[in-house]
Amino acid sequence: MSDAYPPPEEPSGPYPPYQQPYQPGFQQPFPPPYGAPAPYGYAMVPGYGVDPVTGQPMSDKSKLAAGLLNLLLPFVGVCGVGRLYQGQIGIGLTQLLGSLISWVLLCAIIGFVTLPAFCLWSIIDGIVLLTGRPTDQHGRLLR
């Protein structure tokens, strides 16, 4: 009895035929990590687009949401939430903890000075966020 088909060949290299090693010069399927320079000829488009004027990538955060959180929440006594949403943790925690400590210090009359100061800071910060070109913690423009 003779076989009409020869036996299958064993792979001749370290990689099976369905897996190819990295070959320089060919475009790879995955983009480079964020912040790394893109290889020549690789068009990397961010997920939320680019600013048409400057070409900077846009953030996934909303400028309107950050501004309104900083502008409206001080009227109920909570400051800095817009900055926390924006990703700027230092300024956001300073405003938030300052307003919360000021609520506690209302018993000692010092809070009557510090609470309006933190609320005014947050309101002005909200106006600046709405009228300016704010960025998130990675330096991308808010959309």
Side-chain angles (χ1 to χ4, degrees):
M1 187 185 255
S2 68
D3 291 328
Y5 298 103
E9 295 181 13
E10 294 293 323
S12 60
Y15 301 100
Y18 54 87
Q19 290 180 343
Q20 295 295 321
Y22 173 76
Q23 298 175 1
F26 293 104
Q27 187 158 356
Q28 299 303 310
F30 300 108
Y34 182 75
Y40 179 76
Y42 191 87
M44 191 168 146
V45 178
Y48 291 93
V50 294
D51 183 33
V53 177
T54 62
Q56 287 182 308
M58 300 295 281
S59 174
D60 58 340
K61 307 282 192 323
S62 171
K63 171 180 163 178
L64 182 65
L68 288 179
L69 283 171
N70 248 12
L71 187 64
L72 298 177
L73 283 181
F75 291 110
V76 294
V78 180
C79 303
V81 178
R83 286 291 186 164
L84 290 174
Y85 167 77
Q86 189 179 351
Q88 297 182 347
I89 305 298
I91 296 174
L93 281 179
T94 302
Q95 290 178 350
L96 181 65
L97 292 177
S99 67
L100 294 178
I101 291 171
S102 295
W103 276 108
V104 173
L105 291 178
L106 281 175
C107 301
I109 303 184
I110 298 171
F112 287 107
V113 176
T114 58
L115 184 60
F118 279 107
C119 289
L120 184 64
W121 177 22
S122 185
I123 290 170
I124 291 173
D125 201 23
I127 293 170
V128 169
L129 284 174
L130 287 173
T131 59
R133 296 179 54 86
T135 59
D136 65 358
Q137 74 269 22
H138 300 294
R140 298 176 294 191
L141 290 172
L142 296 181
R143 54 183 172 97

